[in-house]
Tab-separated table of all heavy atoms in Angstrom:
chain	number	residue	atom	x	y	z
A	27	PRO	N	-5.101	17.584	47.736
A	27	PRO	CA	-5.933	17.952	46.712
A	27	PRO	C	-6.228	16.805	45.703
A	27	PRO	O	-7.026	16.959	44.753
A	27	PRO	CB	-5.340	19.082	46.048
A	27	PRO	CG	-3.816	18.783	46.155
A	27	PRO	CD	-3.682	18.227	47.511
A	28	SER	N	-5.666	15.627	45.890
A	28	SER	CA	-5.749	14.569	44.931
A	28	SER	C	-7.156	14.119	44.594
A	28	SER	O	-7.346	13.777	43.485
A	28	SER	CB	-4.764	13.360	45.292
A	28	SER	OG	-5.233	12.749	46.474
A	29	PRO	N	-8.035	14.049	45.576
A	29	PRO	CA	-9.452	13.669	45.156
A	29	PRO	C	-10.046	14.492	44.033
A	29	PRO	O	-10.874	14.000	43.260
A	29	PRO	CB	-10.215	13.761	46.453
A	29	PRO	CG	-9.211	13.472	47.520
A	29	PRO	CD	-7.993	14.189	46.984
A	30	TYR	N	-9.727	15.778	43.938
A	30	TYR	CA	-10.221	16.672	42.938
A	30	TYR	C	-9.691	16.291	41.560
A	30	TYR	O	-10.416	16.474	40.526
A	30	TYR	CB	-9.858	18.141	43.262
A	30	TYR	CG	-10.465	18.671	44.500
A	30	TYR	CD1	-9.819	18.908	45.573
A	30	TYR	CD2	-11.863	18.857	44.472
A	30	TYR	CE1	-10.361	19.462	46.744
A	30	TYR	CE2	-12.407	19.499	45.624
A	30	TYR	CZ	-11.703	19.685	46.684
A	30	TYR	OH	-12.379	20.181	47.862
A	31	VAL	N	-8.518	15.654	41.573
A	31	VAL	CA	-7.946	15.171	40.239
A	31	VAL	C	-8.501	13.844	39.988
A	31	VAL	O	-8.776	13.498	38.764
A	31	VAL	CB	-6.384	15.187	40.312
A	31	VAL	CG1	-5.698	14.543	39.131
A	31	VAL	CG2	-5.846	16.525	40.530
A	32	GLU	N	-8.593	12.949	40.939
A	32	GLU	CA	-9.026	11.571	40.788
A	32	GLU	C	-10.489	11.367	40.452
A	32	GLU	O	-10.917	10.352	39.954
A	32	GLU	CB	-8.623	10.773	42.028
A	32	GLU	CG	-7.097	10.648	42.226
A	32	GLU	CD	-6.772	10.120	43.656
A	32	GLU	OE1	-7.788	9.468	44.269
A	32	GLU	OE2	-5.695	10.223	44.137
A	33	ALA	N	-11.325	12.338	40.779
A	33	ALA	CA	-12.782	12.129	40.650
A	33	ALA	C	-13.150	11.816	39.189
A	33	ALA	O	-12.629	12.373	38.205
A	33	ALA	CB	-13.419	13.470	40.982
A	34	LYS	N	-13.946	10.749	39.086
A	34	LYS	CA	-14.509	10.371	37.775
A	34	LYS	C	-15.643	11.332	37.394
A	34	LYS	O	-16.200	12.031	38.156
A	34	LYS	CB	-14.995	8.939	37.882
A	34	LYS	CG	-13.977	7.857	38.290
A	34	LYS	CD	-12.915	7.696	37.271
A	34	LYS	CE	-11.978	6.572	37.691
A	34	LYS	NZ	-10.593	6.849	37.469
A	35	ALA	N	-16.033	11.278	36.131
A	35	ALA	CA	-17.079	12.076	35.686
A	35	ALA	C	-18.465	11.496	36.077
A	35	ALA	O	-18.696	10.371	36.278
A	35	ALA	CB	-17.078	12.021	34.053
A	36	LEU	N	-19.322	12.473	36.384
A	36	LEU	CA	-20.642	12.175	36.837
A	36	LEU	C	-21.513	11.933	35.720
A	36	LEU	O	-22.546	11.258	35.751
A	36	LEU	CB	-21.175	13.110	37.801
A	36	LEU	CG	-22.518	12.888	38.408
A	36	LEU	CD1	-22.437	11.710	39.351
A	36	LEU	CD2	-22.959	14.144	39.218
A	37	VAL	N	-21.313	12.722	34.556
A	37	VAL	CA	-22.137	12.645	33.357
A	37	VAL	C	-21.240	12.188	32.164
A	37	VAL	O	-20.139	12.225	32.265
A	37	VAL	CB	-22.781	13.960	33.145
A	37	VAL	CG1	-23.682	14.460	34.270
A	37	VAL	CG2	-21.788	15.097	32.812
A	38	ASN	N	-21.943	11.893	31.003
A	38	ASN	CA	-21.170	11.644	29.809
A	38	ASN	C	-20.655	12.860	29.355
A	38	ASN	O	-21.248	13.815	28.795
A	38	ASN	CB	-22.225	10.991	28.829
A	38	ASN	CG	-21.529	10.629	27.482
A	38	ASN	OD1	-20.750	11.352	27.005
A	38	ASN	ND2	-21.972	9.511	26.893
A	39	LEU	N	-19.359	12.957	29.496
A	39	LEU	CA	-18.643	14.268	29.154
A	39	LEU	C	-18.520	14.567	27.690
A	39	LEU	O	-18.550	15.709	27.239
A	39	LEU	CB	-17.310	14.273	29.818
A	39	LEU	CG	-17.220	14.325	31.343
A	39	LEU	CD1	-15.798	14.243	31.872
A	39	LEU	CD2	-18.033	15.531	31.860
A	40	SER	N	-18.473	13.479	26.799
A	40	SER	CA	-18.497	13.694	25.409
A	40	SER	C	-19.736	14.296	24.996
A	40	SER	O	-19.789	15.221	24.201
A	40	SER	CB	-18.361	12.402	24.636
A	40	SER	OG	-16.975	11.842	24.921
A	41	ARG	N	-20.926	13.793	25.452
A	41	ARG	CA	-22.180	14.353	25.189
A	41	ARG	C	-22.319	15.742	25.727
A	41	ARG	O	-22.860	16.700	25.051
A	41	ARG	CB	-23.288	13.391	25.741
A	41	ARG	CG	-24.644	13.787	25.454
A	41	ARG	CD	-25.688	12.883	26.035
A	41	ARG	NE	-27.044	13.266	25.755
A	41	ARG	CZ	-28.053	12.946	26.538
A	41	ARG	NH1	-27.908	12.105	27.575
A	41	ARG	NH2	-29.295	13.373	26.173
A	42	LEU	N	-21.878	15.930	26.890
A	42	LEU	CA	-21.888	17.337	27.511
A	42	LEU	C	-21.159	18.245	26.607
A	42	LEU	O	-21.556	19.374	26.392
A	42	LEU	CB	-21.397	17.268	28.951
A	42	LEU	CG	-21.384	18.604	29.643
A	42	LEU	CD1	-22.792	19.217	29.837
A	42	LEU	CD2	-20.705	18.518	31.029
A	43	ALA	N	-19.914	17.871	26.271
A	43	ALA	CA	-18.986	18.790	25.397
A	43	ALA	C	-19.741	19.155	24.158
A	43	ALA	O	-19.692	20.285	23.635
A	43	ALA	CB	-17.711	18.146	25.123
A	44	ARG	N	-20.447	18.130	23.521
A	44	ARG	CA	-21.092	18.490	22.274
A	44	ARG	C	-22.212	19.544	22.485
A	44	ARG	O	-22.351	20.523	21.680
A	44	ARG	CB	-21.676	17.205	21.680
A	44	ARG	CG	-20.668	16.283	20.959
A	44	ARG	CD	-21.319	15.234	20.125
A	44	ARG	NE	-22.176	14.350	20.909
A	44	ARG	CZ	-21.773	13.266	21.565
A	44	ARG	NH1	-20.527	12.934	21.636
A	44	ARG	NH2	-22.726	12.467	22.190
A	45	TYR	N	-22.976	19.398	23.540
A	45	TYR	CA	-23.987	20.422	23.904
A	45	TYR	C	-23.377	21.791	24.118
A	45	TYR	O	-23.903	22.698	23.646
A	45	TYR	CB	-24.835	19.904	25.108
A	45	TYR	CG	-26.039	19.017	24.806
A	45	TYR	CD1	-26.015	17.775	25.218
A	45	TYR	CD2	-27.190	19.663	24.146
A	45	TYR	CE1	-27.145	16.879	24.903
A	45	TYR	CE2	-28.220	18.797	23.911
A	45	TYR	CZ	-28.221	17.440	24.222
A	45	TYR	OH	-29.314	16.633	24.007
A	46	LEU	N	-22.355	21.807	24.973
A	46	LEU	CA	-21.771	23.083	25.380
A	46	LEU	C	-21.167	23.764	24.202
A	46	LEU	O	-21.348	24.974	24.080
A	46	LEU	CB	-20.834	22.846	26.479
A	46	LEU	CG	-21.350	22.236	27.803
A	46	LEU	CD1	-20.277	22.231	28.900
A	46	LEU	CD2	-22.549	23.122	28.326
A	47	ASN	N	-20.466	23.026	23.394
A	47	ASN	CA	-19.905	23.702	22.171
A	47	ASN	C	-20.999	24.286	21.311
A	47	ASN	O	-20.827	25.362	20.741
A	47	ASN	CB	-18.925	22.764	21.500
A	47	ASN	CG	-17.654	22.544	22.286
A	47	ASN	OD1	-17.091	23.500	22.829
A	47	ASN	ND2	-17.207	21.347	22.318
A	48	ARG	N	-22.056	23.486	21.147
A	48	ARG	CA	-23.088	24.012	20.312
A	48	ARG	C	-23.857	25.198	20.844
A	48	ARG	O	-24.059	26.192	20.178
A	48	ARG	CB	-24.143	22.885	20.056
A	48	ARG	CG	-25.271	23.335	19.127
A	48	ARG	CD	-25.993	22.109	18.567
A	48	ARG	NE	-27.083	22.510	17.635
A	48	ARG	CZ	-28.074	21.902	17.360
A	48	ARG	NH1	-28.330	20.654	17.889
A	48	ARG	NH2	-29.023	22.322	16.587
A	49	LEU	N	-24.077	25.202	22.167
A	49	LEU	CA	-24.704	26.311	22.880
A	49	LEU	C	-23.873	27.567	22.778
A	49	LEU	O	-24.309	28.654	22.584
A	49	LEU	CB	-25.019	25.984	24.366
A	49	LEU	CG	-26.182	25.022	24.468
A	49	LEU	CD1	-26.216	24.295	25.831
A	49	LEU	CD2	-27.462	25.707	24.296
A	50	GLN	N	-22.520	27.349	22.933
A	50	GLN	CA	-21.608	28.465	22.811
A	50	GLN	C	-21.598	29.115	21.445
A	50	GLN	O	-21.639	30.353	21.304
A	50	GLN	CB	-20.149	28.106	23.237
A	50	GLN	CG	-19.409	29.260	23.857
A	50	GLN	CD	-18.167	28.772	24.525
A	50	GLN	OE1	-17.537	27.735	24.074
A	50	GLN	NE2	-17.690	29.476	25.573
């Protein structure tokens, strides 16, 4: 299962988190 842990982010996760927290 290690590739699931090692995978890098595809999108800017800080930006995504800001959007998601605001939408929630």
